[in-house]
Structures are given as C-alpha cells and as structure tokens.
Short mmCIF file of all heavy atoms in Angstrom, two decimals:
data_model
loop_
_atom_site.label_atom_id
_atom_site.label_comp_id
_atom_site.label_asym_id
_atom_site.label_seq_id
_atom_site.Cartn_x
_atom_site.Cartn_y
_atom_site.Cartn_z
N MET A 1 19.46 -15.28 2.13
CA MET A 1 19.40 -14.33 1.04
C MET A 1 20.03 -13.02 1.50
O MET A 1 19.89 -12.63 2.66
CB MET A 1 17.94 -14.14 0.65
CG MET A 1 17.75 -13.60 -0.71
SD MET A 1 16.00 -13.78 -1.17
CE MET A 1 15.77 -12.21 -1.88
N SER A 2 20.70 -12.34 0.60
CA SER A 2 21.32 -11.06 0.95
C SER A 2 21.22 -10.11 -0.25
O SER A 2 20.89 -10.52 -1.35
CB SER A 2 22.77 -11.25 1.36
OG SER A 2 23.52 -11.78 0.29
N ALA A 3 21.51 -8.85 0.02
CA ALA A 3 21.49 -7.82 -1.03
C ALA A 3 22.53 -6.76 -0.69
O ALA A 3 22.82 -6.53 0.49
CB ALA A 3 20.12 -7.18 -1.13
N VAL A 4 23.09 -6.15 -1.71
CA VAL A 4 24.03 -5.05 -1.53
C VAL A 4 23.35 -3.76 -1.96
O VAL A 4 22.85 -3.66 -3.08
CB VAL A 4 25.32 -5.26 -2.35
CG1 VAL A 4 26.28 -4.10 -2.17
CG2 VAL A 4 25.99 -6.57 -1.97
N ILE A 5 23.32 -2.79 -1.07
CA ILE A 5 22.71 -1.49 -1.35
C ILE A 5 23.83 -0.45 -1.42
O ILE A 5 24.63 -0.33 -0.49
CB ILE A 5 21.70 -1.09 -0.24
CG1 ILE A 5 20.70 -2.21 0.03
CG2 ILE A 5 21.03 0.23 -0.58
CD1 ILE A 5 19.82 -2.57 -1.13
N TRP A 6 23.88 0.26 -2.51
CA TRP A 6 24.88 1.32 -2.71
C TRP A 6 24.19 2.67 -2.59
O TRP A 6 23.04 2.83 -2.98
CB TRP A 6 25.50 1.23 -4.10
CG TRP A 6 26.45 0.09 -4.27
CD1 TRP A 6 26.13 -1.19 -4.62
CD2 TRP A 6 27.86 0.13 -4.11
NE1 TRP A 6 27.26 -1.95 -4.68
CE2 TRP A 6 28.35 -1.17 -4.38
CE3 TRP A 6 28.77 1.13 -3.77
CZ2 TRP A 6 29.69 -1.49 -4.31
CZ3 TRP A 6 30.11 0.80 -3.70
CH2 TRP A 6 30.56 -0.49 -3.97
N GLY A 7 24.92 3.65 -2.08
CA GLY A 7 24.40 5.01 -2.02
C GLY A 7 25.54 6.01 -2.13
O GLY A 7 26.71 5.66 -1.96
N ARG A 8 25.18 7.24 -2.42
CA ARG A 8 26.18 8.30 -2.55
C ARG A 8 25.62 9.58 -1.95
O ARG A 8 24.47 9.94 -2.18
CB ARG A 8 26.53 8.53 -4.01
CG ARG A 8 27.70 9.49 -4.19
CD ARG A 8 28.23 9.39 -5.61
NE ARG A 8 29.53 10.03 -5.70
CZ ARG A 8 29.77 11.11 -6.41
NH1 ARG A 8 28.81 11.68 -7.10
NH2 ARG A 8 30.97 11.62 -6.43
N SER A 9 26.45 10.25 -1.17
CA SER A 9 26.07 11.53 -0.59
C SER A 9 26.98 12.61 -1.16
O SER A 9 27.90 12.31 -1.92
CB SER A 9 26.18 11.48 0.93
OG SER A 9 27.53 11.31 1.31
N ASP A 10 26.73 13.84 -0.80
CA ASP A 10 27.60 14.92 -1.29
C ASP A 10 28.47 15.49 -0.18
O ASP A 10 29.18 16.47 -0.39
CB ASP A 10 26.78 16.01 -1.97
CG ASP A 10 25.71 16.59 -1.06
OD1 ASP A 10 25.53 16.09 0.06
OD2 ASP A 10 25.04 17.54 -1.47
N VAL A 11 28.41 14.87 1.01
CA VAL A 11 29.24 15.27 2.15
C VAL A 11 29.57 14.01 2.96
O VAL A 11 28.96 12.96 2.76
CB VAL A 11 28.50 16.28 3.08
CG1 VAL A 11 28.23 17.59 2.37
CG2 VAL A 11 27.22 15.68 3.61
N ASP A 12 30.49 14.13 3.90
CA ASP A 12 30.76 13.03 4.82
C ASP A 12 29.48 12.74 5.61
O ASP A 12 28.91 13.64 6.22
CB ASP A 12 31.86 13.39 5.81
CG ASP A 12 33.25 13.43 5.18
OD1 ASP A 12 33.36 13.17 3.96
OD2 ASP A 12 34.21 13.71 5.91
N ALA A 13 29.02 11.50 5.57
CA ALA A 13 27.77 11.16 6.24
C ALA A 13 27.68 9.65 6.46
O ALA A 13 28.29 8.88 5.71
CB ALA A 13 26.57 11.63 5.43
N ARG A 14 26.92 9.24 7.44
CA ARG A 14 26.69 7.82 7.74
C ARG A 14 25.48 7.32 6.94
O ARG A 14 24.42 7.95 6.93
CB ARG A 14 26.41 7.66 9.22
CG ARG A 14 25.94 6.30 9.66
CD ARG A 14 27.00 5.27 9.84
NE ARG A 14 28.06 5.76 10.71
CZ ARG A 14 29.27 5.23 10.74
NH1 ARG A 14 29.57 4.21 9.96
NH2 ARG A 14 30.18 5.70 11.54
N MET A 15 25.64 6.19 6.27
CA MET A 15 24.56 5.59 5.50
C MET A 15 23.64 4.81 6.43
O MET A 15 24.10 4.05 7.28
CB MET A 15 25.13 4.64 4.45
CG MET A 15 24.12 3.95 3.59
SD MET A 15 24.95 2.75 2.52
CE MET A 15 23.78 2.65 1.19
N LEU A 16 22.34 4.99 6.28
CA LEU A 16 21.34 4.24 7.03
C LEU A 16 20.37 3.61 6.04
O LEU A 16 19.86 4.30 5.15
CB LEU A 16 20.58 5.16 7.99
CG LEU A 16 21.44 5.93 8.99
CD1 LEU A 16 20.59 6.99 9.70
CD2 LEU A 16 22.06 4.99 9.99
N VAL A 17 20.13 2.33 6.18
CA VAL A 17 19.22 1.62 5.29
C VAL A 17 18.08 1.03 6.11
O VAL A 17 18.31 0.39 7.13
CB VAL A 17 19.94 0.48 4.53
CG1 VAL A 17 18.97 -0.27 3.63
CG2 VAL A 17 21.12 1.01 3.74
N GLU A 18 16.86 1.28 5.68
CA GLU A 18 15.69 0.65 6.27
C GLU A 18 15.08 -0.25 5.20
O GLU A 18 15.00 0.14 4.03
CB GLU A 18 14.66 1.69 6.69
CG GLU A 18 15.09 2.53 7.86
CD GLU A 18 14.01 3.50 8.26
OE1 GLU A 18 13.60 4.32 7.42
OE2 GLU A 18 13.56 3.43 9.42
N TRP A 19 14.67 -1.45 5.60
CA TRP A 19 14.03 -2.34 4.64
C TRP A 19 12.82 -3.01 5.28
O TRP A 19 12.72 -3.13 6.50
CB TRP A 19 15.01 -3.37 4.10
CG TRP A 19 15.50 -4.39 5.09
CD1 TRP A 19 16.59 -4.28 5.91
CD2 TRP A 19 14.91 -5.66 5.37
NE1 TRP A 19 16.72 -5.42 6.67
CE2 TRP A 19 15.70 -6.28 6.36
CE3 TRP A 19 13.80 -6.33 4.90
CZ2 TRP A 19 15.40 -7.54 6.88
CZ3 TRP A 19 13.51 -7.59 5.41
CH2 TRP A 19 14.31 -8.18 6.38
N ASP A 20 11.89 -3.41 4.42
CA ASP A 20 10.68 -4.08 4.87
C ASP A 20 10.14 -4.90 3.71
O ASP A 20 10.56 -4.71 2.56
CB ASP A 20 9.63 -3.04 5.31
CG ASP A 20 8.62 -3.59 6.29
OD1 ASP A 20 8.36 -4.81 6.28
OD2 ASP A 20 8.07 -2.80 7.07
N THR A 21 9.23 -5.79 3.99
CA THR A 21 8.58 -6.58 2.94
C THR A 21 7.23 -5.99 2.56
O THR A 21 6.56 -6.52 1.69
CB THR A 21 8.40 -8.04 3.38
OG1 THR A 21 7.67 -8.07 4.61
CG2 THR A 21 9.76 -8.73 3.55
N GLU A 22 6.84 -4.91 3.23
CA GLU A 22 5.58 -4.24 2.92
C GLU A 22 5.82 -2.78 2.59
O GLU A 22 6.64 -2.11 3.23
CB GLU A 22 4.62 -4.35 4.11
CG GLU A 22 4.32 -5.80 4.44
CD GLU A 22 3.11 -5.96 5.32
OE1 GLU A 22 2.27 -5.05 5.33
OE2 GLU A 22 3.03 -7.00 5.97
N ALA A 23 5.12 -2.27 1.60
CA ALA A 23 5.31 -0.89 1.14
C ALA A 23 4.96 0.13 2.21
O ALA A 23 5.44 1.26 2.17
CB ALA A 23 4.47 -0.63 -0.11
N SER A 24 4.17 -0.25 3.18
CA SER A 24 3.79 0.67 4.25
C SER A 24 4.94 0.96 5.21
O SER A 24 4.88 1.92 5.98
CB SER A 24 2.62 0.09 5.04
OG SER A 24 3.02 -1.10 5.70
N PHE A 25 5.97 0.14 5.19
CA PHE A 25 7.10 0.26 6.12
C PHE A 25 6.62 0.34 7.57
O PHE A 25 7.15 1.10 8.37
CB PHE A 25 7.96 1.49 5.77
CG PHE A 25 9.00 1.19 4.72
CD1 PHE A 25 8.68 1.26 3.38
CD2 PHE A 25 10.29 0.85 5.07
CE1 PHE A 25 9.61 0.99 2.40
CE2 PHE A 25 11.25 0.58 4.10
CZ PHE A 25 10.91 0.65 2.77
N LYS A 26 5.63 -0.48 7.91
CA LYS A 26 5.11 -0.49 9.29
C LYS A 26 6.12 -1.09 10.27
O LYS A 26 6.14 -0.72 11.43
CB LYS A 26 3.80 -1.27 9.37
CG LYS A 26 2.63 -0.52 8.79
CD LYS A 26 1.34 -1.29 9.00
CE LYS A 26 0.18 -0.51 8.42
NZ LYS A 26 -1.08 -1.21 8.58
N ASN A 27 6.91 -2.05 9.82
CA ASN A 27 7.90 -2.71 10.68
C ASN A 27 9.27 -2.75 10.01
O ASN A 27 9.81 -3.83 9.77
CB ASN A 27 7.43 -4.14 11.00
CG ASN A 27 6.15 -4.17 11.77
OD1 ASN A 27 6.05 -3.58 12.84
ND2 ASN A 27 5.14 -4.83 11.22
N PRO A 28 9.84 -1.60 9.71
CA PRO A 28 11.12 -1.61 9.00
C PRO A 28 12.26 -2.10 9.90
O PRO A 28 12.25 -1.92 11.11
CB PRO A 28 11.32 -0.14 8.62
CG PRO A 28 10.60 0.61 9.68
CD PRO A 28 9.40 -0.23 10.03
N ARG A 29 13.20 -2.75 9.28
CA ARG A 29 14.45 -3.11 9.96
C ARG A 29 15.47 -2.07 9.55
O ARG A 29 15.53 -1.69 8.38
CB ARG A 29 14.94 -4.49 9.53
CG ARG A 29 14.27 -5.64 10.28
CD ARG A 29 12.82 -5.73 10.02
NE ARG A 29 12.39 -7.03 9.56
CZ ARG A 29 11.33 -7.22 8.81
NH1 ARG A 29 10.59 -6.22 8.41
NH2 ARG A 29 10.96 -8.41 8.45
N ARG A 30 16.27 -1.61 10.50
CA ARG A 30 17.24 -0.55 10.22
C ARG A 30 18.65 -1.11 10.35
O ARG A 30 18.97 -1.78 11.33
CB ARG A 30 17.04 0.59 11.20
CG ARG A 30 17.82 1.82 10.84
CD ARG A 30 17.46 2.94 11.77
NE ARG A 30 18.00 4.18 11.26
CZ ARG A 30 17.92 5.33 11.87
NH1 ARG A 30 17.30 5.43 13.02
NH2 ARG A 30 18.45 6.41 11.34
N VAL A 31 19.45 -0.81 9.33
CA VAL A 31 20.84 -1.26 9.31
C VAL A 31 21.72 -0.03 9.15
O VAL A 31 21.52 0.78 8.24
CB VAL A 31 21.09 -2.24 8.14
CG1 VAL A 31 22.53 -2.68 8.10
CG2 VAL A 31 20.15 -3.44 8.25
N GLN A 32 22.68 0.10 10.05
CA GLN A 32 23.61 1.22 9.96
C GLN A 32 24.76 0.81 9.05
O GLN A 32 25.43 -0.20 9.29
CB GLN A 32 24.15 1.58 11.34
CG GLN A 32 25.02 2.80 11.35
CD GLN A 32 25.44 3.20 12.75
OE1 GLN A 32 25.43 2.40 13.67
NE2 GLN A 32 25.79 4.44 12.91
N GLY A 33 24.95 1.56 8.00
CA GLY A 33 26.01 1.28 7.05
C GLY A 33 27.26 2.07 7.39
O GLY A 33 27.34 2.73 8.43
N PRO A 34 28.21 2.07 6.49
CA PRO A 34 29.46 2.78 6.72
C PRO A 34 29.31 4.28 6.46
O PRO A 34 28.27 4.75 6.00
CB PRO A 34 30.40 2.16 5.68
CG PRO A 34 29.49 1.77 4.57
CD PRO A 34 28.20 1.34 5.24
N LYS A 35 30.35 4.99 6.75
CA LYS A 35 30.38 6.43 6.51
C LYS A 35 30.89 6.67 5.09
O LYS A 35 31.84 6.02 4.63
CB LYS A 35 31.31 7.08 7.53
CG LYS A 35 31.12 8.55 7.66
CD LYS A 35 31.90 9.09 8.84
CE LYS A 35 31.61 10.56 8.98
NZ LYS A 35 32.46 11.18 9.97
N SER A 36 30.25 7.59 4.39
CA SER A 36 30.75 8.01 3.08
C SER A 36 31.72 9.17 3.33
O SER A 36 31.44 10.05 4.14
CB SER A 36 29.60 8.44 2.17
OG SER A 36 28.94 9.57 2.70
N THR A 37 32.84 9.12 2.64
CA THR A 37 33.88 10.15 2.81
C THR A 37 34.44 10.54 1.45
O THR A 37 34.19 9.87 0.45
CB THR A 37 35.03 9.64 3.70
OG1 THR A 37 35.69 8.56 3.01
CG2 THR A 37 34.55 9.17 5.06
N ALA A 38 35.26 11.57 1.45
CA ALA A 38 35.91 11.98 0.20
C ALA A 38 36.79 10.84 -0.34
O ALA A 38 36.89 10.64 -1.55
CB ALA A 38 36.74 13.23 0.44
N ALA A 39 37.40 10.08 0.56
CA ALA A 39 38.26 8.97 0.14
C ALA A 39 37.50 7.90 -0.64
O ALA A 39 38.07 7.22 -1.50
CB ALA A 39 38.93 8.34 1.35
N SER A 40 36.19 7.76 -0.37
CA SER A 40 35.37 6.78 -1.08
C SER A 40 34.51 7.45 -2.16
O SER A 40 33.55 6.86 -2.64
CB SER A 40 34.47 6.02 -0.11
OG SER A 40 33.51 6.89 0.47
N ASP A 41 34.85 8.68 -2.50
CA ASP A 41 34.07 9.49 -3.45
C ASP A 41 32.63 9.64 -2.95
O ASP A 41 31.70 9.66 -3.72
CB ASP A 41 34.12 8.90 -4.85
CG ASP A 41 33.64 9.86 -5.93
OD1 ASP A 41 33.75 11.09 -5.72
OD2 ASP A 41 33.14 9.39 -6.96
N TRP A 42 32.49 9.71 -1.62
CA TRP A 42 31.21 9.87 -0.94
C TRP A 42 30.22 8.74 -1.25
O TRP A 42 29.02 8.92 -1.21
CB TRP A 42 30.60 11.24 -1.20
CG TRP A 42 31.39 12.31 -0.52
CD1 TRP A 42 31.37 12.61 0.80
CD2 TRP A 42 32.30 13.19 -1.11
NE1 TRP A 42 32.25 13.63 1.06
CE2 TRP A 42 32.84 14.02 -0.11
CE3 TRP A 42 32.76 13.38 -2.42
CZ2 TRP A 42 33.78 15.00 -0.35
CZ3 TRP A 42 33.71 14.36 -2.65
CH2 TRP A 42 34.20 15.16 -1.64
N THR A 43 30.76 7.56 -1.57
CA THR A 43 29.89 6.40 -1.77
C THR A 43 29.97 5.49 -0.55
O THR A 43 30.95 5.50 0.19
CB THR A 43 30.27 5.59 -3.02
OG1 THR A 43 31.61 5.11 -2.87
CG2 THR A 43 30.14 6.41 -4.28
N ALA A 44 28.93 4.71 -0.35
CA ALA A 44 28.91 3.73 0.74
C ALA A 44 28.07 2.55 0.27
O ALA A 44 27.19 2.69 -0.57
CB ALA A 44 28.31 4.34 1.99
N ARG A 45 28.38 1.38 0.82
CA ARG A 45 27.56 0.22 0.50
C ARG A 45 27.26 -0.53 1.78
O ARG A 45 28.07 -0.60 2.70
CB ARG A 45 28.23 -0.68 -0.52
CG ARG A 45 29.25 -1.57 0.06
CD ARG A 45 29.88 -2.46 -0.97
NE ARG A 45 31.02 -3.05 -0.27
CZ ARG A 45 31.40 -4.28 -0.40
NH1 ARG A 45 30.80 -5.07 -1.24
NH2 ARG A 45 32.41 -4.74 0.30
N CYS A 46 26.08 -1.09 1.81
CA CYS A 46 25.58 -1.80 2.99
C CYS A 46 25.09 -3.16 2.52
O CYS A 46 24.36 -3.25 1.53
CB CYS A 46 24.46 -1.00 3.63
SG CYS A 46 23.81 -1.72 5.13
N ILE A 47 25.48 -4.20 3.21
CA ILE A 47 25.02 -5.55 2.88
C ILE A 47 23.89 -5.92 3.83
O ILE A 47 24.05 -5.89 5.04
CB ILE A 47 26.17 -6.57 2.98
CG1 ILE A 47 27.29 -6.19 2.02
CG2 ILE A 47 25.65 -7.97 2.69
CD1 ILE A 47 28.54 -7.03 2.14
N LEU A 48 22.75 -6.23 3.24
CA LEU A 48 21.61 -6.71 4.01
C LEU A 48 21.67 -8.23 4.02
O LEU A 48 21.70 -8.85 2.96
CB LEU A 48 20.29 -6.24 3.40
CG LEU A 48 20.12 -4.74 3.20
CD1 LEU A 48 18.76 -4.45 2.58
CD2 LEU A 48 20.29 -3.99 4.51
N ARG A 49 21.71 -8.82 5.19
CA ARG A 49 21.85 -10.28 5.32
C ARG A 49 20.59 -10.88 5.92
O ARG A 49 19.80 -10.21 6.56
CB ARG A 49 23.04 -10.61 6.19
CG ARG A 49 24.35 -10.07 5.67
CD ARG A 49 25.51 -10.48 6.57
NE ARG A 49 26.72 -9.75 6.26
CZ ARG A 49 27.53 -10.00 5.24
NH1 ARG A 49 27.25 -10.97 4.41
NH2 ARG A 49 28.62 -9.27 5.05
N ASP A 50 20.46 -12.18 5.73
CA ASP A 50 19.35 -12.95 6.31
C ASP A 50 17.99 -12.40 5.91
O ASP A 50 17.07 -12.33 6.73
CB ASP A 50 19.48 -13.03 7.83
CG ASP A 50 20.78 -13.68 8.27
OD1 ASP A 50 21.19 -14.65 7.62
OD2 ASP A 50 21.37 -13.21 9.26
N LEU A 51 17.88 -12.00 4.65
CA LEU A 51 16.59 -11.52 4.14
C LEU A 51 15.65 -12.71 3.96
O LEU A 51 16.09 -13.82 3.66
CB LEU A 51 16.78 -10.79 2.82
CG LEU A 51 17.65 -9.54 2.88
CD1 LEU A 51 17.93 -9.03 1.47
CD2 LEU A 51 17.00 -8.47 3.72
N PRO A 52 14.36 -12.50 4.14
CA PRO A 52 13.42 -13.62 3.99
C PRO A 52 13.37 -14.08 2.53
O PRO A 52 13.29 -13.25 1.61
CB PRO A 52 12.08 -13.03 4.43
CG PRO A 52 12.24 -11.56 4.35
CD PRO A 52 13.68 -11.26 4.52
N PRO A 53 13.40 -15.39 2.32
CA PRO A 53 13.34 -15.89 0.94
C PRO A 53 11.95 -15.69 0.34
O PRO A 53 10.96 -15.54 1.06
CB PRO A 53 13.65 -17.39 1.10
CG PRO A 53 13.30 -17.71 2.52
CD PRO A 53 13.52 -16.45 3.30
N ASP A 54 11.92 -15.66 -0.98
CA ASP A 54 10.66 -15.55 -1.72
C ASP A 54 9.83 -14.33 -1.31
O ASP A 54 8.61 -14.39 -1.25
CB ASP A 54 9.82 -16.82 -1.56
CG ASP A 54 10.54 -18.05 -2.07
OD1 ASP A 54 11.26 -17.93 -3.08
OD2 ASP A 54 10.41 -19.12 -1.45
N SER A 55 10.50 -13.22 -1.00
CA SER A 55 9.82 -11.99 -0.61
C SER A 55 10.36 -10.83 -1.41
O SER A 55 11.55 -10.79 -1.73
CB SER A 55 10.02 -11.70 0.88
OG SER A 55 9.48 -12.70 1.68
N GLU A 56 9.49 -9.90 -1.71
CA GLU A 56 9.94 -8.64 -2.30
C GLU A 56 10.48 -7.78 -1.17
O GLU A 56 9.83 -7.60 -0.14
CB GLU A 56 8.79 -7.93 -2.99
CG GLU A 56 9.21 -6.63 -3.63
CD GLU A 56 8.06 -5.93 -4.35
OE1 GLU A 56 6.90 -6.15 -3.99
OE2 GLU A 56 8.35 -5.16 -5.27
N ILE A 57 11.70 -7.27 -1.34
CA ILE A 57 12.33 -6.44 -0.33
C ILE A 57 12.30 -5.00 -0.80
O ILE A 57 12.79 -4.67 -1.88
CB ILE A 57 13.80 -6.87 -0.07
CG1 ILE A 57 13.88 -8.36 0.25
CG2 ILE A 57 14.42 -6.00 1.00
CD1 ILE A 57 13.14 -8.79 1.49
N LEU A 58 11.70 -4.13 -0.01
CA LEU A 58 11.65 -2.70 -0.30
C LEU A 58 12.62 -2.02 0.65
O LEU A 58 12.75 -2.42 1.81
CB LEU A 58 10.23 -2.18 -0.08
CG LEU A 58 9.19 -2.94 -0.91
CD1 LEU A 58 7.85 -2.89 -0.25
CD2 LEU A 58 9.15 -2.36 -2.29
N TYR A 59 13.31 -1.01 0.17
CA TYR A 59 14.28 -0.35 1.02
C TYR A 59 14.30 1.14 0.77
O TYR A 59 13.84 1.62 -0.26
CB TYR A 59 15.68 -0.94 0.82
CG TYR A 59 16.25 -0.72 -0.55
CD1 TYR A 59 17.03 0.40 -0.83
CD2 TYR A 59 15.99 -1.60 -1.59
CE1 TYR A 59 17.54 0.62 -2.09
CE2 TYR A 59 16.49 -1.40 -2.85
CZ TYR A 59 17.27 -0.28 -3.10
OH TYR A 59 17.78 -0.06 -4.35
N ARG A 60 14.81 1.87 1.74
CA ARG A 60 15.04 3.30 1.59
C ARG A 60 16.36 3.63 2.27
O ARG A 60 16.74 3.02 3.27
CB ARG A 60 13.88 4.12 2.13
CG ARG A 60 13.53 3.87 3.56
CD ARG A 60 12.24 4.60 3.94
NE ARG A 60 11.83 4.25 5.29
CZ ARG A 60 10.59 4.35 5.73
NH1 ARG A 60 9.64 4.78 4.93
NH2 ARG A 60 10.29 4.02 6.96
N VAL A 61 17.04 4.59 1.69
CA VAL A 61 18.38 4.97 2.16
C VAL A 61 18.37 6.43 2.58
O VAL A 61 17.83 7.28 1.87
CB VAL A 61 19.43 4.77 1.04
CG1 VAL A 61 20.80 5.24 1.48
CG2 VAL A 61 19.47 3.32 0.60
N THR A 62 18.95 6.70 3.71
CA THR A 62 19.19 8.08 4.15
C THR A 62 20.65 8.18 4.57
O THR A 62 21.31 7.18 4.82
CB THR A 62 18.29 8.49 5.34
OG1 THR A 62 18.48 7.57 6.40
CG2 THR A 62 16.83 8.55 4.95
N PHE A 63 21.13 9.40 4.61
CA PHE A 63 22.48 9.68 5.11
C PHE A 63 22.35 10.65 6.27
O PHE A 63 21.55 11.58 6.22
CB PHE A 63 23.37 10.26 4.00
CG PHE A 63 23.86 9.22 3.03
CD1 PHE A 63 23.13 8.89 1.91
CD2 PHE A 63 25.06 8.58 3.27
CE1 PHE A 63 23.57 7.94 1.02
CE2 PHE A 63 25.52 7.61 2.38
CZ PHE A 63 24.78 7.30 1.26
N GLU A 64 23.15 10.42 7.29
CA GLU A 64 23.09 11.25 8.49
C GLU A 64 24.46 11.87 8.76
O GLU A 64 25.48 11.20 8.70
CB GLU A 64 22.67 10.40 9.69
CG GLU A 64 22.56 11.17 10.97
CD GLU A 64 22.09 10.29 12.12
OE1 GLU A 64 22.48 9.10 12.18
OE2 GLU A 64 21.34 10.80 12.95
N ASN A 65 24.44 13.18 9.03
CA ASN A 65 25.65 13.87 9.45
C ASN A 65 25.27 14.87 10.53
O ASN A 65 24.16 14.86 11.03
CB ASN A 65 26.39 14.51 8.27
CG ASN A 65 25.61 15.65 7.63
OD1 ASN A 65 24.63 16.13 8.16
ND2 ASN A 65 26.07 16.09 6.47
N THR A 66 26.18 15.76 10.86
CA THR A 66 25.90 16.72 11.94
C THR A 66 24.74 17.64 11.62
O THR A 66 24.14 18.22 12.50
CB THR A 66 27.15 17.55 12.27
OG1 THR A 66 27.61 18.20 11.07
CG2 THR A 66 28.25 16.68 12.83
N GLY A 67 24.39 17.77 10.33
CA GLY A 67 23.27 18.61 9.92
C GLY A 67 21.92 17.90 9.99
O GLY A 67 20.89 18.51 9.76
N GLY A 68 21.92 16.62 10.31
CA GLY A 68 20.67 15.87 10.41
C GLY A 68 20.59 14.77 9.37
O GLY A 68 21.61 14.31 8.84
N LEU A 69 19.37 14.36 9.05
CA LEU A 69 19.12 13.28 8.09
C LEU A 69 18.76 13.83 6.72
O LEU A 69 18.05 14.85 6.62
CB LEU A 69 17.95 12.41 8.56
CG LEU A 69 18.21 11.41 9.66
CD1 LEU A 69 16.90 10.76 10.10
CD2 LEU A 69 19.20 10.36 9.22
N SER A 70 19.20 13.16 5.69
CA SER A 70 18.79 13.51 4.33
C SER A 70 17.37 13.02 4.10
O SER A 70 16.82 12.25 4.87
CB SER A 70 19.74 12.85 3.33
OG SER A 70 19.55 11.45 3.32
N GLN A 71 16.79 13.42 2.99
CA GLN A 71 15.50 12.88 2.57
C GLN A 71 15.73 11.42 2.15
O GLN A 71 16.76 11.11 1.54
CB GLN A 71 14.93 13.69 1.40
CG GLN A 71 14.51 15.09 1.78
CD GLN A 71 13.36 15.06 2.77
OE1 GLN A 71 12.39 14.33 2.60
NE2 GLN A 71 13.46 15.84 3.82
N PRO A 72 14.80 10.52 2.44
CA PRO A 72 14.99 9.13 2.04
C PRO A 72 14.96 8.96 0.53
O PRO A 72 14.22 9.65 -0.17
CB PRO A 72 13.83 8.39 2.70
CG PRO A 72 12.84 9.41 3.03
CD PRO A 72 13.56 10.74 3.15
N ILE A 73 15.76 8.04 0.07
CA ILE A 73 15.78 7.66 -1.35
C ILE A 73 15.18 6.27 -1.42
O ILE A 73 15.65 5.35 -0.78
CB ILE A 73 17.21 7.65 -1.91
CG1 ILE A 73 17.83 9.04 -1.76
CG2 ILE A 73 17.22 7.19 -3.35
CD1 ILE A 73 19.31 9.07 -1.99
N LEU A 74 14.10 6.14 -2.17
CA LEU A 74 13.41 4.84 -2.26
C LEU A 74 13.85 4.11 -3.50
O LEU A 74 14.13 4.65 -4.50
CB LEU A 74 11.90 5.05 -2.28
CG LEU A 74 11.34 5.86 -1.11
CD1 LEU A 74 9.87 6.11 -1.32
CD2 LEU A 74 11.56 5.12 0.19
#
C-alpha cells in the first residue's frame, strides 16, 4: 500500500513527513521528501511506500530550511 502526500511552503524548504497508525504518534516513521523551490511553485510531494494494509494512516508534514522547522500540518 502507498500514499502520495502533497505540501506547499512559502520559501525554499525540505519537506518532511511523519506517519503513524496511532494518533499519539508514539512511534512515527519519518520520510524525507524533496525540496520545494520557486521552480515547483514551492510545492513538494512525498510517496509513502509499504504502508500496513487495513490500517488508518495518520500523517503530519513539516518543512525545514535554514530558519528551522515549520509548524506541523496534520
């Protein structure tokens, strides 16, 4: 099972996706996505692969640049 997660930032930044099957995010898996740039209209997409079947997948997205991490988007 897989999923495509899209995100958009307002500056050049690296997309980071955390996902878990529990809302507590006690054991999140972290996937480093591509960098969003002006050339991509500051959008990025990350493909989550090998997701567990028959499970609800919860995720949060942050963007990281030289200024630090953005607030997570759930």
Side-chain angles (χ1 to χ4, degrees):
M1 200 167 137
S2 62
V4 179
I5 309 297
W6 287 86
R8 188 165 194 246
S9 65
D10 57 355
V11 295
D12 288 0
R14 171 81 52 200
M15 180 186 205
L16 303 170
V17 179
E18 291 182 301
W19 68 270
D20 204 333
T21 55
E22 300 196 23
S24 64
F25 274 85
K26 286 185 180 180
N27 297 303
R29 277 64 126 207
R30 190 174 191 184
V31 179
Q32 186 175 22
K35 198 170 184 188
S36 63
T37 65
S40 66
D41 195 27
W42 290 284
T43 61
R45 80 179 169 141
C46 183
I47 300 173
L48 304 180
R49 301 182 192 282
D50 301 321
L51 298 171
D54 300 323
S55 297
E56 180 179 25
I57 306 299
L58 304 153
Y59 65 91
R60 57 188 174 203
V61 176
T62 56
F63 283 89
E64 181 178 37
N65 66 12
T66 56
L69 283 174
S70 69
Q71 291 295 314
I73 301 167
L74 305 174

